[in-house]
Amino acid sequence: LFSSREGEAGVSIDLHTVFPDLSLDERFFGSYNFEELDRALLAVKELGAEIILRLGETPNPVGKRPYLRLPTTPERIAEIFLRVIAHCNNGFCGGMKLGVKRVEIWQSPDDGFGFFPAREEYFELYKTVSAKIKMQFPKIKVGAYSSGGFASLNNVGLSEKEQSYVPY
């Protein structure tokens, strides 16, 4: 869980948590494990806060580093994320009808972490996933990652890592 603005609470969902085996078919209900997601969603619902769903992969989940370089495509990730949203909003696979209105496609391209090794690949991922979400769920607002670049813009004497944030 993370907080955003007053009255909002975010639920960060690692792809590997809800879809633990990429060798399985994303169209099959049994490929998904929504237990952890459901616990987080219910916690936010009990608070009475609006849910922001952050879909991605944590840069360094304990013991889960192999999930950062997924052997899959942006199109397949989009299909999985569409089913996660459907679980939250349309009751897919025993889910709920929570009316999630905001989704973030999360990765850290400015940090070199995430699904794909190249930053440009994140932009392709975002383009693909956001377009599919908007097509299937036109009322949902789709956001992107948070960046260190904004803080770096106005600073002098930046480290090499901090300088790499600036283009973002």
Side-chain angles (χ1 to χ4, degrees), residues 94-163:
M96 302 171 224
K97 295 188 178 184
L98 298 172
V100 172
K101 297 175 189 163
R102 292 177 50 199
V103 173
E104 293 178 0
I105 309 306
W106 186 47
Q107 175 168 310
S108 301
D110 57 356
D111 243 352
F113 296 117
F115 295 127
F116 304 107
R119 296 170 181 176
E120 293 75 18
E121 289 176 296
Y122 169 75
F123 298 124
E124 186 60 34
L125 170 77
Y126 180 81
K127 178 180 158 186
T128 301
V129 174
S130 63
K132 286 184 178 269
I133 289 172
K134 292 304 284 181
M135 198 160 46
Q136 188 164 333
F137 301 99
K139 293 183 179 180
I140 287 183
K141 293 179 183 175
V142 182
Y145 67 99
S146 299
S147 173
F150 300 111
S152 300
L153 281 175
N154 298 320
N155 293 320
V156 179
L158 299 173
S159 69
E160 186 176 324
K161 182 176 182 176
E162 291 169 320
Q163 289 173 4

Side-chain angles (χ1 to χ4, degrees), residues 27-154:
R27 297 169 294 181
F28 178 59
F29 285 14
S31 300
Y32 295 85
N33 178 353
F34 289 114
E35 288 180 36
E36 190 174 318
L37 170 61
D38 288 347
R39 279 194 301 275
L41 291 170
L42 290 173
V44 173
K45 185 177 176 184
E46 285 180 26
L47 292 172
E50 181 180 341
I51 296 169
I52 302 167
L53 194 58
R54 179 182 282 169
L55 304 169
E57 194 65 44
T58 305
N60 196 12
V62 177
K64 303 292 184 187
R65 193 123 179 107
Y67 291 100
L68 291 179
R69 302 294 185 244
L70 298 175
T72 191
T73 64
E75 291 76 15
R76 184 144 188 254
I77 291 172
E79 292 303 320
I80 294 167
F81 285 170
L82 288 172
R83 285 165 181 80
V84 171
I85 296 167
H87 178 80
C88 297
N89 281 357
N90 300 345
F92 169 75
C93 198
M96 302 171 224
K97 295 188 178 184
L98 298 172
V100 172
K101 297 175 189 163
R102 292 177 50 199
V103 173
E104 293 178 0
I105 309 306
W106 186 47
Q107 175 168 310
S108 301
D110 57 356
D111 243 352
F113 296 117
F115 295 127
F116 304 107
R119 296 170 181 176
E120 293 75 18
E121 289 176 296
Y122 169 75
F123 298 124
E124 186 60 34
L125 170 77
Y126 180 81
K127 178 180 158 186
T128 301
V129 174
S130 63
K132 286 184 178 269
I133 289 172
K134 292 304 284 181
M135 198 160 46
Q136 188 164 333
F137 301 99
K139 293 183 179 180
I140 287 183
K141 293 179 183 175
V142 182
Y145 67 99
S146 299
S147 173
F150 300 111
S152 300
L153 281 175
N154 298 320

Side-chain angles (χ1 to χ4, degrees), residues 1-5 8-10 52 54:
L1 296 175
F2 65 93
S3 67
S4 182
R5 297 181 293 202
E8 297 176 332
I52 302 167
R54 179 182 282 169

